[in-house]
Amino acid sequence: MGSKQLKEEVYEANMELFRSGLVFGTFGNVSGIDENREVVVIKPSGVNYDELTSEKMVGVALKDGKVVEGTLNPSSDTPTHIEIYRAFESASGVVHTHSEFATAFSQARRPIRCMGTTHADYFYGDIPISRPLTEDETINDYEINTGLVIVETFNAVDSAEIPAVLVANHGPFAWGSTAHKAVENAMTLEYLAKIEYKTEVLNPTVPTPPQYLIDKHYLRKHGKNAYYGQ
Ligand SMILES: [Zn+2]
């Protein structure tokens, strides 16, 4: 994919995220990476959505975060996106929002449990919650450390099977095989947070569903034995 094409795709994905209603204030950004995994294209900092164009997208080098394309500054969350791309091979698009229900779970410092088939159709298990950042991690290189704490959260979790995370006291990040897929995962994540919240209100002691049901729904759509929708 040429860089012009990637800028177009990332621009479209940012507008799609904006239209989805998941962006509160200016808290929303989408990025994408080129197929050689060298340049990350992301929304510029401080530009309103109605003034956004594909030409205003900013390209930064994966290796050092320096701007290599565009004249504007990249989103201030760019270092977090970069750490996600460096660690998660399956991520070619990354989304960050402060969407209402997913952010509520982040603040409650709770995972979004996998309680049913809607969740299992997209994510193979609970959406994990990160540990809180330390004072030092917050004061120095905050955005990089936010990325590193996300990566740490996936030490024992497969980032391809569960392409989203809740950062404690902050909000959700989601990723996917393209910028568009990452937006779709962010939208799904918000919906799952909402229905998990309602599930708990309706029955706070309901048991988790059996693993065979989760396996059935995830594995019929993902992996080598997928058959659903083929
Ligand atoms: Zn944020």
Side-chain angles (χ1 to χ4, degrees):
M1 187 189 296
S3 80
K4 190 165 180 288
Q5 207 181 337
L6 182 60
K7 279 183 181 173
E8 191 66 42
E9 185 192 324
V10 170
Y11 164 72
E12 290 295 342
N14 272 284
M15 295 311 288
E16 187 186 4
L17 185 72
F18 179 64
R19 288 191 299 266
S20 75
L22 263 53
V23 176
F24 173 73
T26 58
F27 302 112
N29 44 64
V30 186
S31 68
I33 193 165
D34 72 303
E35 56 198 350
N36 298 325
R37 300 188 79 79
E38 289 171 354
V39 178
V40 175
V41 170
I42 193 163
K43 181 166 156 276
S45 175
V47 178
N48 291 330
Y49 280 92
D50 55 4
E51 294 166 5
L52 218 54
T53 63
S54 63
E55 292 76 35
K56 286 182 182 164
M57 298 296 121
V58 184
V60 301
L62 185 72
K63 65 175 192 297
D64 58 13
K66 294 223 169 74
V67 175
V68 291
E69 283 178 52
T71 52
L72 296 162
N73 288 321
S75 162
S76 45
D77 292 321
T78 302
T80 312
H81 289 236
I82 284 178
E83 295 306 329
I84 291 172
Y85 287 120
R86 283 180 181 163
F88 302 161
E89 265 175 33
S90 64
S92 291
V94 173
V95 174
H96 175 49
T97 76
H98 291 188
S99 65
E100 184 179 358
F101 282 84
T103 302
F105 275 83
S106 302
Q107 294 188 175
R109 285 167 56 182
R110 283 189 42 175
I112 301 169
R113 297 175 305 163
C114 183
M115 292 300 285
T117 66
T118 322
H119 188 126
D121 277 335
Y122 291 87
F123 298 93
Y124 199 16
D126 299 354
I127 312 297
I129 177 85
S130 80
R131 66 166 173 81
L133 270 69
T134 65
E135 184 175 1
D136 184 56
E137 287 169 335
T138 305
I139 292 167
N140 302 301
D141 300 320
Y142 175 62
E143 290 79 11
I144 292 175
N145 288 325
T146 300
L148 293 176
V149 87
I150 289 171
V151 174
E152 181 189 312
T153 306
F154 283 80
N155 281 344
V157 182
D158 187 328
S159 60
E161 291 177 344
I162 302 182
V165 68
L166 306 171
V167 176
N169 307 112
H170 184 169
F173 283 78
W175 47 92
S177 56
T178 63
H180 171 79
K181 266 282 176 197
V183 172
E184 189 184 316
N185 285 339
M187 291 168 67
T188 304
L189 178 75
E190 177 63 9
Y191 182 73
L192 296 174
K194 192 181 291 187
I195 57 178
E196 157 69 335
Y197 175 81
K198 292 183 180 185
T199 300
E200 176 134 347
V201 169
L202 290 166
N203 187 351
T205 59
V206 69
T208 53
Q211 188 61 39
Y212 58 75
L213 182 69
I214 304 308
D215 289 348
K216 180 68 185 174
H217 271 263
Y218 186 80
L219 298 173
R220 72 179 184 154
K221 288 182 80 173
H222 304 85
K224 63 179 185 343
N225 295 322
Y227 64 88
Y228 188 84
Q230 305 290 305

